[in-house]
Amino acid sequence: MPELETAVATNPAPATETADTEVAQLYLPFTSTEPETPTPTPTPEPEPTPTIDLTPSPTPLPAFPPYDGPPLRRSDIGIQVHMFGEEQNWLFEHMNVLNVGWVKVQLSWKLYEPEPGGYDMERIEELDRFIERANGDNIQVMLGLAKAPEWSRSTTEEDGPPADYGQFREFAFFLANRYRGQVAAYELWNESNLRREWNGKRLHGAELVALTREGAAGIRAGDPNAIIISAAPATTGVNDGVTAVDDRVYLEQMLAAGVGNVVDGIGVHPYGWANPALSRVGDGTSPAPSHNNHPSFFFRNTIEDYLALLDRYGVNHQLWVTEFGWGSVENFGGGPAPEAPFMAYVSEWEQAIYTMDAFALAHENQRVGPMMLWNLNFAPLLGPEASKAGYSLVRPDGSLRPLYLALLNVPRAPE
């Protein structure tokens, strides 16, 4: 997980100018990369776990809000999981109960290729099993690729791209060739408008496009039918050019550099912080007392602004929502992490309402593609103190949150 930043804009910034900032606490909720845990000792695949008990007896299920949006196709709904070192039977049991059509796994390149051409085969073979199982369960796989190995970089401070973008092409080819016909989509990098994800190179959308060209070449050589999605910028409200570039500014830089000619879809991370999914900045409908004064903090603004930018540059690709969600620490037994104070203003009920409203809003627009909800299992993995846990569909003790049950019961449309 990348470290947290501390600079936040206090007023919305024009899409083409650098905003003045003042120091304030900011949490960036888009930190999806799998935790860099030590490599565990290989163990045999466990026997299947007991079926999840969804019956109302002996204890009634928790209440969950009704869904009144359009029916959703299974292929529209995805979820991100932490996979490495986890019991795959447990993960797939939940994904099948939820009836999701996509699963996203974020790969840290540096963990999979710790030496030039030297792959960590334990990780690779676990990924093999995961992808095989997903294909067997008719769940499409998206792999997100980010975080270059230290041996490939000009600096080892924070995370960032390789000095030679051609090395990313080679890693992308290795994966696409190995998983030809098995991995449906690749997202090339993660939130590269942040210094902490892009240290060592110029913080500019054109640099990402240069890397994306190389990665896309590797993917297309390994699997011509795989879908390639551009890296989604982080929504931060920051535009100082050092800590971060505003996501709208950065996307426009990407579009000007021709990203539409390189990829098949445009990645977006429209986090809502503590603002309702249907609210817009400044419309007076958000009850949130913080992180409410910039369009980047609003799901709806982000979707609408990105589509407007695509129109401006004549790009007809869909937006792929490769991460989104609302964090809540209700029923965690404590308050939010210091870097995520806004989670105190989102109840589990509101978490469910906002998320289902987001699904409904986005899928009324044919220009929005699959949506990967972040996340399934970080709460039991990391415990209630971790800010990432607030986004999980299950609580730290493994019990089901109202959002889980709402997603379970959403009406499905025929494919």
Side-chain angles (χ1 to χ4, degrees):
M1 173 184 177
E3 294 302 318
L4 303 172
E5 306 291 353
T6 57
V8 58
T10 57
N11 294 294
T16 57
E17 298 179 5
T18 300
D20 294 331
T21 62
E22 69 177 41
V23 175
Q25 194 167 55
L26 168 67
Y27 172 65
L28 305 180
F30 28 77
T31 51
S32 66
T33 308
E34 63 184 76
E36 297 172 15
T37 51
T39 300
T41 303
T43 57
E45 184 71 13
E47 293 298 318
T49 54
T51 302
I52 300 168
D53 184 6
L54 295 170
T55 62
S57 177
T59 303
L61 289 173
F64 59 91
Y67 174 75
D68 58 1
L72 301 179
R73 295 186 302 270
R74 180 174 180 266
S75 58
D76 293 331
I77 304 171
I79 194 164
Q80 183 160 331
V81 305
H82 171 67
M83 180 271 298
F84 186 71
E86 296 297 292
E87 183 184 324
Q88 292 194 9
N89 289 318
W90 185 92
L91 293 173
F92 280 99
E93 186 176 13
H94 280 288
M95 286 189 281
N96 284 315
V97 165
L98 289 167
N99 195 26
V100 298
W102 284 90
V103 60
K104 179 185 172 185
V105 176
Q106 188 91 350
L107 302 185
S108 288
W109 173 14
K110 63 184 179 182
L111 301 181
Y112 283 80
E113 191 181 3
E115 299 177 357
Y119 294 100
D120 183 329
M121 292 311 298
E122 181 184 349
R123 289 183 182 272
I124 295 293
E125 289 167 4
E126 184 175 32
L127 185 59
D128 291 346
R129 295 192 297 273
F130 185 89
I131 291 171
E132 181 180 7
R133 176 73 178 270
N135 279 261
D137 288 354
N138 193 31
I139 300 173
Q140 298 188 87
V141 177
M142 168 181 275
L143 296 182
L145 312 183
K147 298 184 181 297
E150 291 186 354
W151 56 262
S152 71
R153 300 181 59 210
S154 59
T155 176
T156 58
E157 183 185 10
E158 300 178 301
D159 284 306
D164 177 1
Y165 293 164
Q167 292 169 328
F168 186 53
R169 180 183 65 241
E170 295 172 3
F171 179 63
F173 173 77
F174 168 80
L175 292 173
N177 186 57
R178 186 178 185 90
Y179 301 122
R180 181 190 294 252
Q182 301 175 64
V183 170
Y186 294 85
E187 183 180 18
L188 302 185
W189 223 257
N190 178 63
E191 298 180 343
S192 51
N193 62 319
L194 303 177
R195 170 191 162 93
R196 70 186 192 199
E197 297 282 352
W198 194 259
N199 196 20
K201 293 280 189 175
R202 180 175 60 133
L203 200 62
H204 194 283
E207 287 289 341
L208 173 68
V209 175
L211 177 79
T212 303
R213 290 184 190 280
E214 295 295 329
I219 297 294
R220 299 202 192 282
D223 186 354
N225 295 319
I227 300 167
I228 299 174
I229 306 301
S230 63
T235 53
T236 69
V238 175
N239 192 31
D240 60 14
V242 178
T243 300
V245 174
D246 178 85
D247 60 300
R248 275 70 160 173
V249 173
Y250 194 85
L251 177 59
E252 186 160 8
Q253 292 170 350
M254 292 167 57
L255 291 166
V259 71
N261 299 322
V262 180
V263 300
D264 305 306
I266 302 297
V268 55
H269 289 179
Y271 281 97
W273 305 72
N275 303 297
L278 302 183
S279 294
R280 295 186 179 94
V281 64
D283 68 4
T285 63
S286 175
S290 71
H291 297 86
N292 61 2
N293 61 349
H294 193 283
S296 290
F297 301 145
F298 289 77
F299 176 92
R300 188 169 191 169
N301 280 108
T302 298
I303 294 292
E304 292 173 347
D305 291 353
Y306 279 36
L307 289 175
L309 280 170
L310 296 189
D311 287 344
R312 186 184 305 171
Y313 283 85
V315 175
N316 295 319
H317 297 329
Q318 281 188 320
L319 293 181
W320 281 54
V321 181
T322 56
E323 284 183 30
F324 81 109
W326 279 262
S328 172
V329 294
E330 186 179 14
N331 292 314
F332 276 23
E339 70 273 15
F342 58 88
M343 288 190 189
Y345 308 114
V346 181
S347 68
E348 286 191 332
W349 185 269
E350 290 167 331
Q351 179 187 50
I353 291 173
Y354 297 168
T355 303
M356 301 317 295
D357 282 348
F359 271 116
L361 177 68
H363 287 296
E364 289 175 350
N365 193 323
Q366 294 184 349
R367 298 181 65 190
V368 178
M371 298 175 67
M372 312 295 173
L373 184 61
W374 196 72
N375 58 68
L376 174 64
N377 64 320
F378 279 78
L381 175 69
L382 300 177
E385 295 81 12
S387 54
K388 291 188 289 186
Y391 293 91
S392 294
L393 268 69
V394 296
R395 301 186 184 102
D397 64 3
S399 60
L400 309 181
R401 307 185 88 175
L403 173 54
Y404 187 111
L405 300 169
L407 187 61
L408 174 67
N409 286 279
V410 67
R412 301 299 167 84
E415 295 292 332

